[in-house]
Amino acid sequence: MKQNYIFEYQNENDFRKKERTVRKYNMFAYKKLTFEYYPEIRNGNFLGEIVSVSKKDRTKNYELKLPTAKLFAKVHGEIRLHYTVYEDKKIVLLTNITPEGILEEGHRAELSTYKGVMISKTHPEKDMFKVNLLNMLQK
């Protein structure tokens, strides 16, 4: 029987907050993450692209792009899962989910939307300007 990898967290509370925000505002990405990507990673099929390799620590850092709406990705950036694999110890260290700013803010307060995109409470004018600009460019 193949031994599965164990998930550990660099900062579990912070990671879980971001994960819950993804669940709240992008259910499709959360379902893919929970029911497809996590089981594949646990089985040793590492998804995403290798960002760096450390021969000294014997680790590989991966970045997995989650399904993101095109307009959201252009305004805030792609939603990405960052993780590190320790192959000799059979451990996957879940480090982060980005973009951090909007995900952390979404956990602290209820975010509003503008034309289908989450708008930050700290700089809503900037986000609305980006959405309007992108919509004008598409016409």
Side-chain angles (χ1 to χ4, degrees):
M1 186 174 130
K2 186 177 177 181
Q3 183 181 5
N4 288 340
Y5 283 75
I6 298 170
F7 282 170
E8 291 188 5
Y9 301 90
Q10 190 170 17
N11 182 344
E12 186 170 4
N13 288 337
D14 186 49
F15 187 87
R16 292 289 185 185
K17 286 177 186 177
K18 292 174 188 170
E19 198 176 49
R20 282 191 296 270
T21 304
V22 169
R23 181 179 70 200
K24 184 175 184 178
Y25 292 107
N26 190 344
M27 183 58 81
F28 182 66
Y30 179 77
K31 285 181 179 180
K32 292 282 269 187
L33 182 65
T34 304
F35 299 114
E36 285 184 38
Y37 300 153
Y38 283 163
E40 284 293 316
I41 293 170
R42 265 200 189 96
N43 289 333
N45 302 327
F46 305 118
L47 305 171
E49 54 192 53
I50 296 177
V51 177
S52 65
V53 177
S54 172
K55 295 200 186 288
K56 178 184 172 192
D57 299 332
R58 289 197 220 132
T59 62
K60 292 181 182 176
N61 293 324
Y62 287 85
E63 199 173 89
L64 175 62
K65 191 170 98 171
L66 301 179
T68 311
K70 289 179 183 177
L71 197 54
F72 178 88
K74 289 179 181 176
V75 174
H76 298 292
E78 296 281 347
I79 298 176
R80 295 179 182 269
L81 170 70
H82 302 268
Y83 63 97
T84 304
V85 177
Y86 295 86
E87 289 183 354
D88 55 334
K89 298 176 186 175
K90 295 285 190 184
I91 293 175
V92 173
L93 180 69
L94 299 173
T95 55
N96 200 5
I97 299 176
T98 55
E100 293 182 56
I102 195 74
L103 293 177
E104 287 173 355
E105 193 173 335
H107 176 73
R108 281 184 263 128
E110 188 75 28
L111 295 179
S112 58
T113 59
Y114 179 71
K115 296 186 180 180
V117 178
M118 290 189 305
I119 300 300
S120 167
K121 288 191 185 268
T122 56
H123 44 75
E125 298 85 17
K126 179 181 169 187
D127 291 347
M128 286 189 279
F129 174 76
K130 286 181 184 178
V131 171
N132 287 333
L133 181 64
L134 290 167
N135 282 334
M136 284 184 353
L137 290 173
Q138 287 178 349
K139 290 181 181 179

